[in-house]
Structures are given as structure tokens and as C-alpha cells.
Amino acid sequence: MILVLNGPNLGRLGTREPDVYGSDTFEDVVTLCRETGTKLGEHVEVRQTDDEAELIGWLHEAADGRIPVVLNPAAFTHYSYAVRDAIAQRTAPLVEVHLTNPAAREEFRHTSVVAGVATGTIAGFGLQSYVLALHAIAEMNTTS
């Protein structure tokens, strides 16, 4: 199993700043991740929350269960040391993903407090960022 965890405001994709995030909806993310998982022979569970505590609970669940994670921390990327500390407890690969390239956006988005404890980061490829991350985790699962 692979958990695909999504932070605040991602449930509003499709209506949230379409000039920045495009017209794809969160349901499109869910469908794409599940279809990609099926092609990779992996069960993929997709979740989204606007609540930092809930996201931290899911990260603890993943650490306790040795479950790999694809994580789009959204705004938590830039300031949540609590999310960072939960990621630091990981026991399986965790790939940070972003639809856009934070380094090409506003200056406050240039710093990720979670990148240093993630296995890797994929950003700027729209929904394909999730596909790339799922492929990376599937590859790590077969080589470990």
C-alpha cells in the first residue's frame, strides 16, 4: 500500500486559482493516483485534509505501519515543523510533491521545511508530479 496524503486547500483544486493550479480537480488527482497504483501493482489510498493535526496522525500511521507516502503538504511545506517532525519518524520512503514549482513562485514558497526529511521532492509537473512520485516509490519498493 502507498498513502497519498494531501494538505490544505488541495480539495478545492479546479476552482482554486485555476490560473496557477489548472482546471484539474482533486477527484482527478484521486483517479490518476489509483489508476497509476493499479498499473504498478500497488494499492493506493488518497486522502486530503485542511487540518494539520489530522495530517500528522496520518504520517504517524504511515510510520507505525512502514507505509510509503506521497505527500503534498501544500502550505504546511513552508512553516509546519510539526509536519516535518512527523515525517522525520518515517520508516518507509516519503516523496514530497507539488503541482507547481515553488522555487519559481513567491519568495515565501522557496523554503520547504519538510524537504530535508523526505526521501525526495518532485515539483512543477502538475498532476504528473504524483505519477512520478508513485513510480519512484514503486521502484524503491522493488529494490529494497
Side-chain angles (χ1 to χ4, degrees):
M1 174 164 74
I2 301 171
L3 285 176
V4 178
L5 305 179
N6 295 273
N9 298 309
L10 289 167
R12 298 191 51 82
L13 287 174
T15 58
R16 176 190 178 206
E17 300 178 81
D19 55 317
V20 175
Y21 297 102
S23 59
D24 292 316
T25 66
F26 183 71
E27 213 31 64
D28 294 331
V29 172
V30 173
T31 299
L32 181 61
C33 288
R34 287 181 180 156
E35 288 175 353
T36 302
T38 298
K39 290 176 186 172
L40 295 170
E42 300 277 357
H43 172 73
V44 172
E45 185 174 324
V46 184
R47 302 176 187 173
Q48 188 276 325
T49 186
D50 295 328
D51 185 307
E52 185 177 28
E54 186 170 36
L55 181 59
I56 290 166
W58 292 342
L59 290 165
H60 291 167
E61 174 189 339
D64 293 347
R66 300 188 183 285
I67 301 167
V69 174
V70 171
L71 173 65
N72 186 336
F76 296 143
T77 303
H78 314 294
Y79 71 89
S80 180
Y81 292 99
V83 169
R84 183 218 180 275
D85 289 348
I87 295 167
Q89 299 172 50
R90 68 183 177 78
T91 56
L94 183 143
V95 178
E96 174 189 10
V97 300
H98 298 282
L99 297 167
T100 65
N101 179 358
R105 296 189 58 202
E106 303 93 336
E107 188 171 339
F108 76 90
R109 297 185 195 276
H110 295 182
T111 299
S112 169
V113 300
V114 304
V117 290
T119 306
T121 301
I122 298 171
F125 298 99
L127 266 54
Q128 287 302 306
S129 293
Y130 289 92
V131 173
L132 294 167
L134 288 165
H135 276 272
I137 285 180
E139 181 66 26
M140 284 183 262
N141 283 345
T142 61
T143 59
S144 59

